[in-house]
Every structure is written in C-alpha cells, then in structure tokens.
Amino acid sequence: MKLLEYEAKQLLRKSHLPVPDSKLIASIADIVTITTPIVLKSQVPTGGRGKLGGVVIVEDANELNQTAKQLFTLDIKGFTPNALLAEEKIEIQDEHYLSLLIDRDTGTIRLVAHRDGGVEVENNQADDFLNIPIDNDAIDSCAVELATYLRYDITLISPFLKQLYRAFIDNDATLLEINPLIYTKTNELTCSDCKMELDDSASFRHPDWQFENTAPNANFVTLNNNGTIATIANGAGLAMATVDAVATAGMTPANFLDIGGGANTASVLAAFQKIVSFPHISAIVINIFAGITRCDEVARAIIAAKQQMTDLPPLYIRLAGTNFEEAVALLSAENIPTLATLEECILNAKEHTHA
Ligand code: GDP
Ligand code: MN
C-alpha cells in the first residue's frame, strides 16, 4: 500500500529521522493557523506534484488563502487532495535522491542514491546512481560508500542511514524514497519529500496502520456527476461489469465502487453518503458476489446504513455466494427486495428511472 507524503513522514518522525515541521490542513478553515513563509503541498497519491503546481512556496500571508483554495481544487494526474501539508520552508544548499527498496529478484534490499535529487531526478544517467545492496551487517560499509558518493562526512551520513534503514525494516516497507533529501544552509540533512510503500501482507502485525487509502471507499471513482445510476459491487472486475451493464442499458453510471472484501456498516454508509451527494441519482444497483465476504454481513450493513439515511434512492440488490439465503431473509424482513441477477437489477432501475 502506498502512503501519502504526510503519512510517510509521520512514520519517519517516529523513527527519529529529520523531517521539516509541518501541520496538516484538512480544510480551508485550518489555514488561519499557518504563518508565512510556508510550503503548501497537495497530499495526492502521486509524485511529480512540483512540476504540476502541487507544491507552492507562499511568502506573502495575503496569498495563503487563495493558494490553499487553488491547491484543494487542483487536479494532479486525476487526483485532488483531501488535505494539504503546510511545511516549514527549508533553505536549500543541495538536493539529493536517496531510496531503499526491495529487489524482488534477489530478495534483498538495495540502496539507491543520486547527488542531484529533486524534480529532475529521472533525467540523470542510470550509471551515475549509487546502487548497492544493504543489510544490517553491511550498514557501516554502506554508510561509508554513501558518504563518499554524496561527499559528506561519515558522521553526518552514518546515523541518518541507520535510522532510515530501521524505518524501512520496522515499518515493513517495500519502498522508502526521500527525494529531495535536502542538505540545508545550516548544514543539516532533512527529508523534504517521502514516498513510502508498505507490504500489505505484513498488516497483521501493524494494528496501527490506518491510512487514507485504506479508509472506507478509497476506491470510489466518480464517473459522471450527472449520472443517474449509482453502483456498489465487490471486486474490481464485478464493479466494472456492473458499471458496463448500466451503460449498456442506455443509462449513465455515476460512479464505480469496489467496496472490497470487508463490506461493513461503515463502508456501506460511507458509500451511500457519497452517492446521495450526486444530484440526479434515481437508483442504486448493488452487486455482491460473496466468497470470503459473507452475504449476511453485507445485508446487515445495508440494513444498518439504510436506517441512518432518510433520503436514499431505491436499492436494486443482487447477492450471490456465501450465506446468500440468510441475507435474503434478513433483507426481506426489512422490506428490502433482492433480485436474482444483475440484469434484473438493471431492468428494474431502468423502469424506475423512466417512471
Ligand atoms: P514532488 O514534485 O511531488 O516530488 O514534490 P516535492 O515535495 O519533492 O517538491 C518538489 C520540489 O519543491 C522539491 O524538489 C524542492 O526543490 C521544492 N521544495 C519543496 N520543499 C521546499 C522547501 O522547503 N524549500 C525550498 N526552497 N524548496 C522546496
Ligand atoms: Mn519529490
């Protein structure tokens, strides 16, 4: 799983790595707590923000509000942020690239570095990079190589690299990339940007892993704000098939949603809340094929979520798989009908839309 910059930096801070001071701006109202100069950074799950206007240094306090508003609406590679990171402005002496990553071919960790970091890093020649295997036993010699390559004193590099390596291991990371690693005008290193990916299969030993992209409905995709049919399905393939069936029937799907294996009251409720914010929805098609997910769990979630929503459009539900009969019984007790096939859901939704 990929983390947002501010989430990755929280983990770095916990591992005692130097990170600029910052505040998270969750909405425009929070901007009053900020003083200039400041760097405002769009928290989208993609890199290359600097070149696309997603990282802005604000010197003039009068421009804070306007710049923050623009950043909240600026589309970066298909993403708009839920939050901005307002970060202390660092005076740069030098920018470097430094990363640790899993080399899947050899099952080892590699350290990759470049003297010239920053937004143009991919323009560097491949053979200019330092690219060496690293592990706990080799860490001292790696630090010497890195210090020599970046031309810093070993007393600066060694503790930094040891903490970075610890952060990588302790967090079960598969990628930890610092770009730029800034050498400041006061001769210190700081992690100015961080891209971090964690090993999903290690999540069982990290109960504290609560990140934005694992939040309910992180993969809710708006297809058309004026769409008339909303969709909820489990599994990306089934979700796409559901959207396609709506479109094939001549209606406009408003969204794509793979609600995932753990469809629960919170995730169904979050989906309903998003759906009712669309202006023209006339029906919600729910298409669940339960394997590990149990239909009765989904049914309970739908019932509980529906009870909390008064203005919900009609639901057309197809459930199949594990505990299907129990789910149908639960739903019909609440007067929520279920249909045998997706096609029937679509037909009913269409009739209702035309009525
Ligand atoms: P990315 O483009 O998504 O990788 O975003 P970064 O966080 O790496 O920011 C892009 C560039 O903005 C960096 O390479 C820096 O040159 C510049 N930048 C970011 N923070 C600061 C800062 O505190 N001070 C200065 N002077 N430049 C910064
Ligand atoms: Mn960067």
Side-chain angles (χ1 to χ4, degrees):
M1 111 184 84
K2 271 190 191 173
L3 303 192
L4 290 164
E5 178 192 11
Y6 79 90
E7 296 170 326
K9 282 177 166 171
Q10 280 166 1
L11 296 183
L12 294 185
R13 230 175 249 121
K14 271 193 200 157
S15 295
H16 309 292
L17 280 147
V19 177
D21 285 340
S22 65
K23 261 187 192 160
L24 194 67
I25 307 292
S27 78
I28 198 78
D30 296 344
I31 207 79
V32 294
T33 62
I34 300 304
T35 53
T36 53
I38 197 86
V39 188
L40 293 182
K41 310 183 78 179
S42 175
Q43 296 301 290
V44 284
T46 179
R49 298 163 302 165
K51 284 188 168 177
L52 296 169
V55 176
V56 183
I57 299 177
V58 185
E59 303 280 356
D60 182 348
N62 296 317
E63 288 170 10
L64 260 178
N65 218 24
Q66 180 66 13
T67 307
K69 272 190 191 150
Q70 277 165 1
L71 281 171
F72 267 114
T73 53
L74 178 73
D75 183 295
I76 299 176
K77 301 182 188 170
F79 300 101
T80 49
N82 292 322
L84 308 179
L85 192 62
E87 201 166 72
E88 161 199 11
K89 183 189 165 193
I90 304 294
E91 297 299 333
I92 300 177
Q93 191 170 154
D94 231 328
E95 293 188 89
H96 308 292
Y97 174 94
L98 180 59
S99 70
L100 299 176
L101 65 147
I102 303 269
D103 177 356
R104 297 200 184 275
D105 291 339
T106 57
T108 56
I109 305 170
R110 295 194 78 82
L111 179 164
V112 179
H114 202 284
R115 286 179 203 96
D116 305 321
V119 295
E120 301 290 350
V121 73
E122 58 269 20
N123 295 339
N124 293 322
Q125 296 289 324
D127 55 5
D128 284 352
F129 285 82
L130 176 72
N131 186 337
I132 53 174
I134 182 170
D135 67 35
N136 210 22
D137 298 332
I139 199 125
D140 284 315
S141 65
C142 288
V144 171
E145 272 196 76
L146 182 62
T148 308
Y149 172 85
L150 292 178
R151 303 190 191 107
Y152 289 117
D153 200 279
I154 185 70
T155 57
L156 182 71
I157 293 297
S158 182
F160 183 91
L161 184 62
K162 284 179 181 166
Q163 270 149 352
L164 194 71
Y165 183 80
R166 258 314 359 126
F168 187 91
I169 300 295
D170 291 348
N171 291 297
D172 283 298
T174 54
L175 172 71
L176 175 48
E177 181 187 273
I178 313 296
N179 184 37
L181 169 65
I182 290 182
Y183 186 60
T184 68
K185 291 213 166 137
T186 50
N187 304 335
E188 290 160 317
L189 290 174
T190 190
C191 304
S192 175
D193 186 15
C194 180
K195 180 170 160 190
M196 193 164 185
E197 293 178 15
L198 306 177
D199 182 352
D200 291 307
S201 52
S203 58
F204 71 93
R205 58 177 169 230
H206 298 278
D208 52 325
W209 278 2
Q210 298 292 336
F211 302 111
E212 264 195 39
N213 65 355
T214 54
N217 304 325
N219 47 17
F220 185 106
V221 180
T222 298
L223 300 174
N224 188 330
N225 271 314
N226 294 317
T228 56
I229 308 294
T231 67
I232 300 176
N234 70 329
L238 197 63
M240 278 190 265
T242 308
V243 166
D244 283 349
V246 171
T248 305
M251 299 180 291
T252 309
N255 75 296
F256 164 99
L257 174 59
D258 165 11
I259 201 157
N264 53 33
T265 303
S267 61
V268 174
L269 190 61
F272 284 168
Q273 277 162 348
K274 276 198 177 150
I275 286 166
V276 296
S277 73
F278 288 71
H280 303 298
I281 301 293
S282 60
I284 303 176
V285 172
I286 301 179
N287 188 13
I288 303 289
F289 186 87
I292 298 170
T293 316
R294 295 184 353 237
C295 284
D296 61 303
E297 266 175 11
V298 178
R300 283 194 184 87
I302 293 172
I303 291 164
K306 196 171 183 291
Q307 276 164 358
Q308 297 185 48
M309 307 274 300
T310 50
D311 48 357
L312 212 57
L315 307 178
Y316 297 102
I317 306 172
R318 174 258 183 175
L319 296 169
T322 313
N323 290 7
F324 148 81
E325 291 90 349
E326 190 183 343
V328 172
L330 284 166
L331 286 165
S332 62
E334 300 292 326
N335 291 319
I336 306 172
T338 49
L339 298 158
T341 63
L342 173 61
E343 287 67 34
E344 279 180 69
C345 292
I346 301 285
L347 276 175
N348 278 274
K350 193 165 185 178
E351 265 169 39
H352 180 83
T353 307
H354 286 191

